[in-house]
Amino acid sequence: MLDVQKLIIKSMKKEIFKDNDELNIAAKNVLGEMKTKFVDITGEITSEVQYKMLKKMRKDREGSIKIYTDAFEKTGSNVAKENLRKAENELKPIDLFLAELEGEMPKKLNETETMNLVKETIEKFGDNIPNKGMIMKMFKTRSDVDMALVSKAVNSLLK
């Protein structure tokens, strides 16, 4: 599990990204955002919780990059260019922290394993198969499955 407090101190001491103030500021921003989000978590802050949080933050930054890129291309605005640079810089510490947490995460099932698991689950219901949403909900809490693969399996099996 990431020790966010120690990482914030490291970024302040410029030990995360040696000789790169911009990336250390980005790391500090990412870690500060994580720390703020920890307040809203009622349960234990596990590696898995942090990993999911970082994945969402990564997705948010990717969306921001697309928006700022489009804005910069259309307007040539310096504000859009600066925001684009900041969002791109914040991806680097997010990726670094995700890589650190990946070693602590359970191994994800591959596409074939996921398909077999979904198939077995559906077969257990016999003739009373629930709708797609209910089946998806059954897998939502599992950390060993990729929900995109589950969705693909459910859609192919319930045509």
Side-chain angles (χ1 to χ4, degrees):
M1 184 166 76
L2 291 176
D3 186 337
V4 173
Q5 197 67 38
K6 284 183 182 176
L7 287 171
I8 290 172
I9 292 167
K10 276 186 170 184
S11 71
M12 288 178 171
K13 292 181 178 178
K14 299 176 177 54
E15 294 174 5
I16 294 179
F17 293 101
K18 301 251 186 266
D19 302 323
N20 193 326
D21 286 339
E22 268 188 38
L23 290 179
N24 278 302
I25 290 169
K28 198 168 21 174
N29 290 342
V30 167
L31 293 164
E33 183 177 338
M34 286 179 72
K35 196 170 180 184
T36 301
K37 290 180 179 187
F38 288 166
V39 173
D40 297 331
I41 297 173
T42 55
E44 183 182 355
I45 300 170
T46 63
S47 294
E48 188 173 336
V49 168
Q50 291 182 38
Y51 187 80
K52 286 179 180 178
M53 183 184 298
L54 284 164
K55 290 291 267 186
K56 173 144 181 24
M57 289 169 68
R58 185 175 209 307
K59 187 175 181 180
D60 291 346
R61 296 314 185 282
E62 288 170 341
S64 296
I65 287 170
K66 183 176 178 351
I67 290 167
Y68 295 135
T69 299
D70 291 346
F72 179 68
E73 288 172 356
K74 288 178 185 172
T75 65
S77 162
N78 286 334
V79 172
K81 184 177 181 178
E82 179 62 19
N83 287 335
L84 173 62
R85 189 181 55 71
K86 284 180 183 178
E88 288 172 338
N89 280 341
E90 287 181 356
L91 275 181
K92 292 173 182 143
I94 290 171
D95 287 340
L96 176 76
F97 304 146
L98 279 170
E100 188 172 321
L101 285 170
E102 279 175 354
E104 300 177 31
M105 298 305 298
K107 182 187 168 285
K108 296 267 188 207
L109 299 177
N110 65 31
E111 190 168 356
T112 304
E113 293 167 329
T114 302
M115 177 65 87
N116 290 337
L117 181 64
V118 171
K119 188 175 183 179
E120 288 171 16
T121 303
I122 290 172
E123 287 172 353
K124 287 179 184 175
F125 286 99
D127 293 336
N128 299 323
I129 299 173
N131 65 31
K132 291 178 185 181
M134 292 299 290
I135 294 170
M136 292 294 295
K137 194 173 183 178
M138 291 175 180
F139 291 94
K140 189 101 174 130
T141 58
R142 291 189 61 151
S143 58
D144 62 338
V145 294
D146 180 338
M147 289 306 291
L149 293 177
V150 171
S151 177
K152 184 178 174 183
V154 168
N155 287 331
S156 71
L157 292 168
L158 296 181
K159 285 184 181 178

